[in-house]
């Protein structure tokens, strides 16, 4: 019997320092707990093996926090435990996030030898001033060296994260960041507009008042689209660009309804039409609380809504045929009124079997997605 | 019948009517101390909060007098506010006497006089009572003289009491028994009873409050409502005690009480109507009350369009208890189906809106209050209009008149400057300023339409909540009025139009567009908000187009949370009103009603 495809996400909730804009689950100054955390993680992995006997793991992703704070020995132990407890596909890509200042070539070489196939660097900007403002611990040249080291170590699939619409950032400033990124041996770029999340230091800082306005923000986004396309990076998701064949397979799963198991502190899972989450209490997790707490059970209607709201994030959009196959219904019978409204307004477009966001539709995508919710 | 006394209490708004009523109920021994609540006559939450009485109700008191006999005293409560003149007249018609409560310090107030004259007109015996004699500023001899001079009744032997402390309450009972005539009427004649109030109860149907003048009303009788010409069988009849009904099966001539008859249709029991026997109707029905004239108008729409029917039912029920409420269906391009409602005054409008929201759980959108303008046109006609939609072509207008009021503002003297400024800004004409102890009484003649927006809010905020005001209509005056229209994205929003004095139009237009700018959510397109008088635009603001509403990151751990945010966004949108091409929150309609002065 064919196995069900599954992605595994592993969370590493440690950072040397929290960035001012970050609202992810991570702790700074707790690195002394890494050993016990990894031990707990190994137990967490083993605990779920029985449940996923009929699944085949087709991607693995280490996210954070700062996964590169783990030693290569930790990765070795974790990957061994995963391979022992789960079926991995032949070509399962293993991807990790890394901060530039935490890696050197020897470390990267070790990771590569363990089977790590993709590395994603939190570059964010090549302006030292901006890096400092954001609370990053690296400088522009640190990031450049890190990417080059990864390439030297044999990584063919390298991502650089950039953030735009930073406090006091001009279009010319951002253009320099794009140019600098395009100098590097990378295959993938994520460009995120800075989002001021409630409760972060940035939200309460005077910097929040120095953010570029909407027009400037959209000009930067347009510039990214234009320059990255010219450099041979295809825009495949709202914030993601890749050279052909280097789209992040793990992340593609999130937008196409693939099931995933999240291991580690506060990690989210999605399988059996349920969204679940692990405890975000670090002490409890290390103490052996690996329960998956149910967040929501998706009704058929909710599944259809998600199909649209996540699928439209991809520039390839949603397929009318896929909808029909998955839900046994025509998408226009379910969402006809909403689809037609946005098609008429030029926020969506249809090419026979595919429905995609237009450029303007991307800019107003929340407004569009919200209309597809129940 | 000669041991019955039917009376009302007339008092200025804070001269202590409710306190006296409580005290009388308590002293008559109908209630134990434990059952006494503050102001037991005021049964509605709303009334308690405002400290005033709205719904007329009655209570039966049994009192053993100095002569050794037991008397039945029926106290019929009346509202003290000028807005409710009509309800007062209904209640008074059921009585033979009225206790006039006058504050020993403040003396007779203009507002009280209107009700006193109403009572005198109906032939009631007036029993003056001087209250609050325990106050340091109390001056009973001066107040007694004032009552005699102004009202022209004997007051030298008026009971001097303190309702608050209970001082000399027995004097009030004795005075009522001595001075108020026992009810007349013929117990042997056919039934003739007057409806002075009614309530809708979901189990019993309509509960009708009556005063029986002739004959008797018994359980099982077939009765007829003369005005509505409907017949019913009496299911239950009895007396009213504070907080409950005491079924007795019969009400006789002179009695005040209630009955039920499985009445479902609230319009069958309009207050003022006559109840008689179906088989032997009286040939002397009551004339009915003079229909009250609404002074303030506002259109009310359900926030959720699907609740139109619920709103209609709620108004149908309210009108049972409040014959002065006027409503008729209306439609607005912006707000859909609703009702154009007429109110006796501002307080009445607020109370109805609050009751609809609280008791009937309705979310409402109300248009700016309006008044009745008299517009004389070149074709020699005169139109009374309240709805801005009916405002004629200015080229055809010969002359316009607007209603004026005499506004009495009581305030601590340190705020006089600020409050006078508010009045001047609203076209007020100064009449007088008097000091009573450390308080001042400021009187202005003002256009009614200047006090119906946010005058009260402005008074309160400029006086730290200390100023109170009351007003009475004084007549019409010539004026220059214009219709101000609001355009949203080049389309007129009918529900936001209103009629305003020419000199205030531009300023008000400017404030409204500023206010709306904060309320109109950004759309995919730019939205101009304009105010216009006729074809001339007098103010403009612009809501910039929404250029970015996008989530940058949406990975595995974000999905549930982002979805919740989007759901909230959708919920917010659901509560919006589609007005032409623009989606407007209902708060936008409310915001233009509260335009701060500075």
């Amino acid at each position: 019997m064919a196995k069900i495809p599954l992605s595994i996400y592993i969370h590493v909730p440690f950072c040397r320092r929290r960035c001012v804009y970050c609202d992810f689950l991570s702790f700074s100054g707790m690195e002394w707990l890494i050993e016990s955390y990894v031990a707990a993680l190994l137990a967490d992995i083993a605990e779920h093996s029985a449940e996923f006997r009929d699944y085949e793991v087709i991607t693995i992703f280490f996210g954070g926090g700062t996964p590169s704070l783990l030693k290569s020995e930790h990765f070795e132990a974790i990957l061994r435990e995963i391979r022992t407890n789960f079926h991995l596909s032949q070509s399962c890509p293993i991807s990790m996030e890394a901060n530039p200042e935490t890696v050197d070539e020897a470390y990267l070489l070790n990771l590569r030898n363990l089977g790590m196939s993709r590395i994603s660097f939190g570059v964010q900007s090549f302006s030292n001033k901006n890096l400092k403002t954001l609370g990053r611990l690296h400088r522009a040249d640190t990031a450049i060296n890190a990417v080059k080291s990864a390439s030297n170590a044999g990584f063919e699939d390298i991502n650089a994260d950039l953030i735009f619409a930073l406090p006091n950032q001009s279009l010319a400033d951002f253009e320099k960041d794009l140019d600098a990124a395009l100098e590097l041996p990378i295959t993938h770029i994520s460009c995120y507009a800075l989002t001021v999340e409630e409760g972060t230091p940035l939200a309460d800082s005077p910097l929040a008042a120095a953010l570029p306005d909407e027009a400037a923000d959209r000009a930067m986004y347009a510039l990214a689209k234009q320059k990255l396309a010219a450099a041979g990076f295809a825009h495949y998701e709202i914030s993601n660009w890749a050279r052909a064949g280097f789209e992040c397979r793990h992340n593609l799963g999130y937008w196409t309804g693939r099931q995933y198991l999240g291991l580690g502190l506060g990690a989210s899972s999605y399988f059996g039409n349920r969204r679940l989450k692990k405890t975000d209490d670090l002490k409890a997790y290390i103490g052996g609380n690996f329960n998956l707490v149910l967040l929501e059970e998706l009704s058929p209607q909710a599944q259809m809504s998600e199909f649209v709201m996540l699928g439209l994030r991809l520039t390839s959009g949603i397929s009318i045929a896929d909808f029909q196959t998955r839900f046994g219904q025509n998408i226009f019978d379910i969402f006809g009124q909403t689809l037609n409204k946005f098609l008429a307004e030029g926020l969506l477009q249809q090419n026979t079997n595919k429905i995609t966001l237009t450029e303007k539709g991307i800019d107003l995508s929340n407004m569009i997605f919200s209309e597809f919710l129940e | 019948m000669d041991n019955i006394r039917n009376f009302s209490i007339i008092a200025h708004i804070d001269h202590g009517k409710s306190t006296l009523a409580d005290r009388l109920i308590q002293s008559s021994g109908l209630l134990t101390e434990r059952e006494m609540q503050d102001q037991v006559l005021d049964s509605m939450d709303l009334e308690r909060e405002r400290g005033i009485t709205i719904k007329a109700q009655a209570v039966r008191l049994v009192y053993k007098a100095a002569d050794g006999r037991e008397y039945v005293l029926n106290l019929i409560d009346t509202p003290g506010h000028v807005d409710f003149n009509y309800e007062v007249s209904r209640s008074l018609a059921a009585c033979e006497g009225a206790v006039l409560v006058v504050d020993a310090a403040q003396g007779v107030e203009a507002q009280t006089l209107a009700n006193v004259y109403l009572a005198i007109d109906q032939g009631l015996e007036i029993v003056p009572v001087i209250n609050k004699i325990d106050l340091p500023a109390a001056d009973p001899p001066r107040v007694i003289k004032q009552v005699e001079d102004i009202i022209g009744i004997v007051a030298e032997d008026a009971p001097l009491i303190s309702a608050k402390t209970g001082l000399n309450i027995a004097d009030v009972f004795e005075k009522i028994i001595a001075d108020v005539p026992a009810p007349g009427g013929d117990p042997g004649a056919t039934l003739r009873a007057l409806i002075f109030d009614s309530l809708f109860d979901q189990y019993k149907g309509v509960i009708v409050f009556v005063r029986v003048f002739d004959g008797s009303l018994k359980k099982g009788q077939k009765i007829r409502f003369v005005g509505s010409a409907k017949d019913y069988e009496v299911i239950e009849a009895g007396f009213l005690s504070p907080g409950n009904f005491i079924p007795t099966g019969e009400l006789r001539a002179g009695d005040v009480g209630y009955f039920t008859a499985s009445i479902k249709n609230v319009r069958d029991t309009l207050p003022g109507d006559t109840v008689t026997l179906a088989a032997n109707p009286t040939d002397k029905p009551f004339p009915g009350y003079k229909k009250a004239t609404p002074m303030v108008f506002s259109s009310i729409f359900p926030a959720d369009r699907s609740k139109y029917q619920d709103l209609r039912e709620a108004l149908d029920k309210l009108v049972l208890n409040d014959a002065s409420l006027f409503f008729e269906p209306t439609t607005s391009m912006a707000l859909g189906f609703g009702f154009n409602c007429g109110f006796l005054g501002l307080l009445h409008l607020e109370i109805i809106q609050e009751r609809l929201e609280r008791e009937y759980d309705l979310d409402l959108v109300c248009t700016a209050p309006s008044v009745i303008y008299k517009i004389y046109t070149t074709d020699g006609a005169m139109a009374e209009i309240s709805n801005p939609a009916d405002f004629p072509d200015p080229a055809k207008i010969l002359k316009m008149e607007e209603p004026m009021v005499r506004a009495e503002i009581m305030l601590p003297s340190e705020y006089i400057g600020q409050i006078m400024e508010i009045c001047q800004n609203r076209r007020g004409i100064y009449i007088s300023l008097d000091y009573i102890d450390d308080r001042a009484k400021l009187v202005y003649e003002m256009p009614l339409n200047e006090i119906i927006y946010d005058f009260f809010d402005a008074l309160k905020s400029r006086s730290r909540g200390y100023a109170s005001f009351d007003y009475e209509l004084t007549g019409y005056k010539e004026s220059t009025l214009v219709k101000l229209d609001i355009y949203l994205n080049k389309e007129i929003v009918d529900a936001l139009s209103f009629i305003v004095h020419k000199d205030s139009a531009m300023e008000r237009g400017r404030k409204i567009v500023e206010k709306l700018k904060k309320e109109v959510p950004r759309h995919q397109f730019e939205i101009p908000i304009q105010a216009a008088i006729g074809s001339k635009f007098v103010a403009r603001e612009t809501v910039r187009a929404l250029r970015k509403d996008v989530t940058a990151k949406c990975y595995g751990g974000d999905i549930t949370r982002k979805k919740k945010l989007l759901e909230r966004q959708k919920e917010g949108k659901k509560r919006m009103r589609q007005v032409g091409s623009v989606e407007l929150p209902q708060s936008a309609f409310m915001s233009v009603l509260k335009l701060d002065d500075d």
Side-chain angles (χ1 to χ4, degrees):
Chain A
M1 200 185 83
K3 290 189 178 293
I4 307 161
L6 181 76
S7 288
I8 287 183
Y9 173 84
I10 292 174
H11 192 65
V12 181
F14 302 99
C15 284
R16 280 196 187 140
R17 188 207 276 175
R18 296 293 311 267
C19 302
V20 295
Y21 55 86
C22 177
D23 73 337
F24 288 139
L25 179 60
S26 185
F27 303 92
S28 59
M30 304 283 258
E31 292 93 314
W32 56 280
L33 280 171
I34 288 180
E35 288 297 332
S36 18
Y37 182 77
V38 172
L41 198 51
L42 297 177
D44 190 1
I45 294 166
E47 183 154 313
H48 289 288
S49 82
E51 273 173 85
F52 293 92
R53 217 164 271 155
D54 299 333
Y55 288 77
E56 180 181 52
V57 177
I58 63 163
T59 69
I60 298 172
F61 193 101
F62 291 88
T66 311
S68 54
L69 286 181
L70 263 52
K71 295 180 185 141
S72 54
E73 291 79 9
H74 294 139
F75 283 104
E76 188 179 1
I78 294 165
L79 289 170
R80 190 192 311 118
E81 197 66 22
I82 294 177
R83 290 191 173 104
T84 309
N85 287 282
F86 292 85
H87 292 279
L88 264 61
S89 72
Q90 283 272 300
S91 59
C92 172
I94 307 173
S95 187
M96 68 177 285
E97 293 174 344
N99 277 8
E101 75 281 6
T102 60
V103 299
D104 59 25
E105 204 165 318
Y107 175 71
L108 292 163
L109 201 58
N110 283 338
L111 294 175
R112 188 70 194 96
N113 290 336
L114 290 170
M116 195 68 71
S117 57
R118 181 179 186 273
I119 190 158
S120 167
F121 287 106
V123 174
Q124 321 309 12
S125 172
F126 292 95
S127 145
N128 287 333
K129 188 167 152 274
N130 284 343
L131 289 169
K132 204 172 163 198
T133 306
L134 295 176
R136 302 296 297 187
L137 287 168
H138 71 274
R139 297 174 55 86
D141 55 355
T142 327
I144 293 167
N145 290 334
V147 173
K148 286 180 176 164
S149 300
S151 179
N152 292 340
F155 279 96
E156 288 173 2
D157 195 350
I158 304 173
N159 170 63
D161 278 354
L162 291 182
I163 305 183
F164 65 91
L166 298 171
N168 299 311
Q169 189 182 37
S170 69
L171 187 62
D173 293 339
F174 179 55
E175 184 162 19
K176 281 185 207 150
D177 283 348
L178 285 169
D179 288 337
L182 289 171
E183 293 278 307
L184 296 173
I186 54 172
T187 49
H188 191 285
I189 290 193
S190 301
C191 278
Y192 302 107
L194 179 66
T195 308
V196 181
E197 302 284 356
E198 244 176 87
T200 58
L202 177 61
D204 301 324
S205 143
L207 288 171
L211 295 172
D213 63 16
E214 272 182 15
D217 174 305
R218 288 300 90 183
M220 291 185 203
Y221 187 63
L223 183 69
K225 284 195 280 194
Q226 175 223 315
K227 289 199 85 112
L228 293 173
F233 287 81
H235 189 199
Y236 74 98
E237 193 264 354
I238 291 179
S239 303
N240 287 289
W241 285 259
R243 292 200 185 280
F246 287 94
E247 295 83 6
C248 179
R249 276 174 62 194
H250 181 83
N251 286 343
L252 280 173
Y254 295 134
W255 304 312
T256 52
R258 188 194 303 149
Q259 306 193 51
Y260 54 92
L261 171 63
L263 301 168
L265 189 73
S268 298
S269 296
Y270 171 57
F271 53 88
N273 290 322
R274 282 141 54 105
R275 295 202 176 277
L276 311 108
K277 194 175 188 291
K278 299 235 170 213
T279 178
D280 47 20
D281 178 340
L282 185 57
K283 228 182 194 171
Y285 183 80
I286 289 174
N289 176 357
F290 307 135
N291 297 335
L292 282 167
V293 178
L294 181 67
L295 290 182
E296 55 173 339
E297 180 121 33
L298 300 184
S299 64
Q301 276 70 26
Q303 290 169 44
M304 292 183 215
S305 297
E306 282 199 0
F307 180 94
V308 174
M309 121 183 189
L310 295 169
L312 282 176
R313 293 189 66 88
L314 296 168
T315 55
S316 58
I318 49 175
S319 145
I320 296 166
D322 285 356
F323 190 95
Q324 181 78 40
T325 310
R326 234 189 106 182
F327 302 109
Q329 297 196 70
N330 186 299
I331 191 169
F332 278 91
D333 290 341
I334 307 291
F335 296 120
Q337 204 186 341
T338 313
L339 286 170
N340 287 326
K341 181 179 112 180
F342 289 129
L343 285 166
E345 289 179 0
L347 297 175
L348 289 177
Q349 59 198 1
Q350 187 184 355
N351 283 317
T352 55
N353 181 41
K354 288 279 194 178
I355 297 168
T356 55
L357 291 172
T358 60
E359 306 257 308
K360 190 176 177 196
I362 289 179
D363 291 343
L364 301 176
S365 49
N366 282 344
M367 187 195 85
I368 298 169
F369 298 160
S370 71
E371 295 285 308
F372 285 96
L373 294 176
E374 288 168 86
Chain B
M1 232 160 77
D2 62 355
N3 71 329
I4 297 176
R5 300 291 183 272
N6 295 321
F7 71 102
S8 289
I9 303 178
I10 295 173
H12 189 65
I13 202 144
D14 54 358
H15 284 197
K17 186 179 74 172
S18 292
T19 318
L20 176 59
D22 287 353
R23 199 56 71 184
L24 292 175
I25 290 164
Q26 203 177 26
S27 311
S28 63
L30 252 177
L31 278 186
T32 64
E33 287 280 343
R34 196 173 50 78
E35 287 169 320
M36 275 303 290
Q37 283 176 286
D38 287 348
Q39 305 187 4
V40 287
L41 275 183
D42 299 350
S43 69
M44 287 191 294
D45 286 354
L46 207 62
E47 292 174 21
R48 189 144 319 174
E49 279 172 29
R50 290 166 176 274
I52 54 162
T53 312
I54 302 153
K55 273 293 291 120
Q57 269 181 321
V59 58
R60 183 177 200 262
L61 313 171
V62 177
Y63 183 76
K64 194 162 179 171
D67 63 8
R69 294 177 63 196
E70 267 201 333
Y71 287 86
V72 171
L73 291 95
N74 290 305
L75 164 56
I76 297 170
D77 198 22
T78 58
H81 193 270
V82 65
D83 275 9
F84 302 102
N85 222 3
Y86 176 63
E87 298 207 348
V88 176
S89 72
R90 265 175 5 206
S91 302
L92 293 179
C95 305
E96 279 81 26
V99 171
L100 167 65
V101 183
V102 183
D103 185 304
Q106 295 187 39
V108 180
E109 300 278 345
Q111 300 301 326
T112 326
L113 279 178
N115 285 347
V116 173
Y117 290 135
L118 209 57
I120 292 173
D121 284 351
Q122 307 220 19
L124 268 59
E125 183 66 34
I126 307 295
V127 179
V129 168
I130 312 299
N131 192 20
K132 302 194 186 182
I133 60 159
D134 55 323
L135 289 186
D139 187 358
R142 176 179 67 83
V143 171
I144 287 170
K145 184 162 187 310
Q146 194 195 16
V147 169
E148 294 189 333
D149 290 351
I150 295 178
I151 304 174
I153 55 172
V154 177
E156 59 186 8
D157 53 354
L160 305 179
I161 68 161
S162 165
K164 202 169 118 199
T165 65
L167 180 71
N168 297 335
I169 293 301
D171 292 357
V172 181
F173 280 110
E174 297 294 342
K175 195 79 179 142
I176 292 168
I177 291 165
D179 289 3
V180 175
D186 180 357
T190 191
L191 172 65
R192 189 170 73 106
L194 171 75
I195 305 176
F196 63 87
D197 203 353
S198 45
L199 276 177
F200 186 82
D201 179 274
Q202 55 174 322
Y203 303 108
K204 296 181 174 178
V206 180
I207 299 172
V208 189
F209 297 86
V210 288
R211 155 74 196 274
V212 179
F213 281 81
D214 295 323
S216 66
L217 187 147
K218 290 185 194 127
K219 191 172 164 175
Q221 268 176 344
K222 265 249 190 275
I223 50 105
R224 172 170 300 166
F225 295 101
V226 174
S228 59
K230 291 280 170 65
D231 294 354
Y232 287 97
E233 187 182 313
V234 176
I235 302 288
E236 188 186 314
F239 298 137
L240 298 154
S241 80
N244 53 63
F245 299 102
I246 307 168
T248 57
E250 184 177 10
L251 291 172
R252 293 180 207 171
D255 280 341
V256 170
Y258 76 98
F259 73 93
T260 67
S262 291
I263 303 164
K264 296 283 179 288
N265 191 335
V266 301
R267 297 196 179 278
D268 292 352
T269 63
L270 284 179
D273 200 0
T274 308
V275 186
T276 186
L277 292 181
N280 181 19
T282 175
D283 54 0
K284 299 177 287 175
F286 297 100
Y289 294 89
K290 51 177 179 177
K291 183 70 187 153
T293 325
M295 283 171 66
V296 178
F297 294 81
S298 168
S299 293
I300 299 182
F301 299 86
D304 174 351
R305 282 168 193 251
S306 66
K307 294 280 166 78
Y308 172 75
Q309 205 51 40
D310 295 0
L311 176 58
R312 172 185 283 281
E313 281 164 24
L315 285 167
D316 272 336
K317 283 180 186 169
L318 284 183
V319 89
L320 165 70
N321 296 330
D322 185 350
S324 56
L325 173 64
F326 157 85
F327 67 97
E328 62 184 7
T330 185
T331 53
S332 148
M333 295 287 285
L335 298 171
F337 292 104
F339 295 92
N340 182 32
C341 301
F343 306 92
L344 298 177
L346 267 189
L347 179 69
H348 189 211
L349 172 149
E350 262 179 63
I351 285 168
I352 294 296
Q353 287 176 355
E354 279 188 51
R355 288 189 66 184
L356 287 170
E357 293 191 325
R358 265 202 238 186
E359 295 171 29
Y360 297 92
D361 201 24
L362 291 164
D363 254 342
L364 305 176
V365 180
C366 306
T367 61
S370 182
V371 302
I372 296 182
Y373 299 100
K374 294 182 177 173
I375 302 201
Y376 299 83
T377 39
T378 47
D379 57 3
M382 190 275 281
E384 293 196 343
I385 69 152
S386 65
N387 191 337
D390 301 329
F391 197 77
D393 177 356
K396 295 187 179 142
I397 296 175
L398 206 62
K399 186 175 88 154
M400 293 172 266
E401 286 176 355
E402 66 177 323
M404 302 297 290
V405 300
R406 176 189 157 93
E408 268 187 36
I409 302 157
M410 297 291 299
L411 72 168
S413 24
E414 67 251 50
Y415 300 114
I416 289 172
Q418 288 101 303
I419 302 297
M420 285 179 85
E421 194 188 323
I422 296 177
C423 296
Q424 308 287 11
N425 288 344
R426 288 162 192 261
R427 298 189 282 135
I429 298 160
Y430 171 84
I431 292 179
S432 66
L433 173 62
D434 294 300
Y435 292 90
I436 301 161
D437 301 331
D438 58 340
R439 286 174 71 78
K441 187 170 85 177
L442 192 55
V443 181
Y444 267 85
E445 183 188 37
M446 294 180 77
L448 178 61
N449 89 351
E450 293 286 346
I451 63 167
I452 59 174
Y453 292 101
D454 52 357
F455 181 66
F456 193 54
D457 291 333
L459 275 189
K460 287 283 176 195
S461 69
R462 266 354 132 63
S463 68
R464 294 175 193 267
Y466 285 114
S468 65
F469 101 108
D470 216 328
Y471 65 90
E472 59 180 346
L473 199 63
T474 52
Y476 274 75
K477 253 195 181 173
E478 188 164 348
S479 179
T480 314
L481 303 157
V482 294
K483 180 179 165 217
L484 189 71
D485 292 315
I486 304 297
Y487 288 74
L488 210 52
N489 201 24
K490 315 272 184 199
E491 288 169 88
I492 197 160
V493 183
D494 59 359
L496 291 176
S497 297
F498 56 95
I499 297 166
V500 60
H501 190 265
K502 182 175 70 74
D503 295 345
S504 326
M506 203 181 277
E507 175 70 1
R508 186 150 313 152
R510 191 181 57 76
K511 279 185 184 164
I512 286 182
V513 299
E514 269 171 23
K515 206 79 179 227
L516 281 174
K517 189 186 178 181
K518 294 181 196 144
E519 294 285 338
V520 177
R522 293 195 303 160
H523 285 56
Q524 292 172 48
F525 41 85
E526 186 175 281
I527 301 169
I529 304 170
Q530 293 156 293
I533 299 167
S535 58
K536 190 177 159 228
F537 289 99
V538 295
R540 175 186 168 125
E541 290 284 345
T542 306
V543 176
R544 302 255 160 255
L546 176 65
R547 300 211 33 208
K548 182 196 168 195
D549 181 16
V550 53
T551 301
K553 284 190 181 188
C554 188
Y555 298 110
D558 307 314
I559 296 172
T560 302
R561 197 165 49 99
K562 298 294 181 199
K563 215 165 58 177
K564 288 222 171 87
L565 291 175
L566 293 174
E567 274 162 9
R568 216 173 300 156
Q569 191 168 345
K570 176 159 196 183
E571 271 310 303
K573 214 168 171 175
K574 262 195 213 156
R575 289 193 300 267
M576 301 269 183
R577 286 286 189 156
Q578 185 81 37
V579 178
S581 52
V582 178
E583 280 171 339
L584 212 53
Q586 68 187 79
S587 57
F589 293 94
M590 304 314 267
S591 74
V592 303
L593 309 185
K594 307 262 179 197
L595 303 173
D596 205 86
D597 252 26
D598 35 22

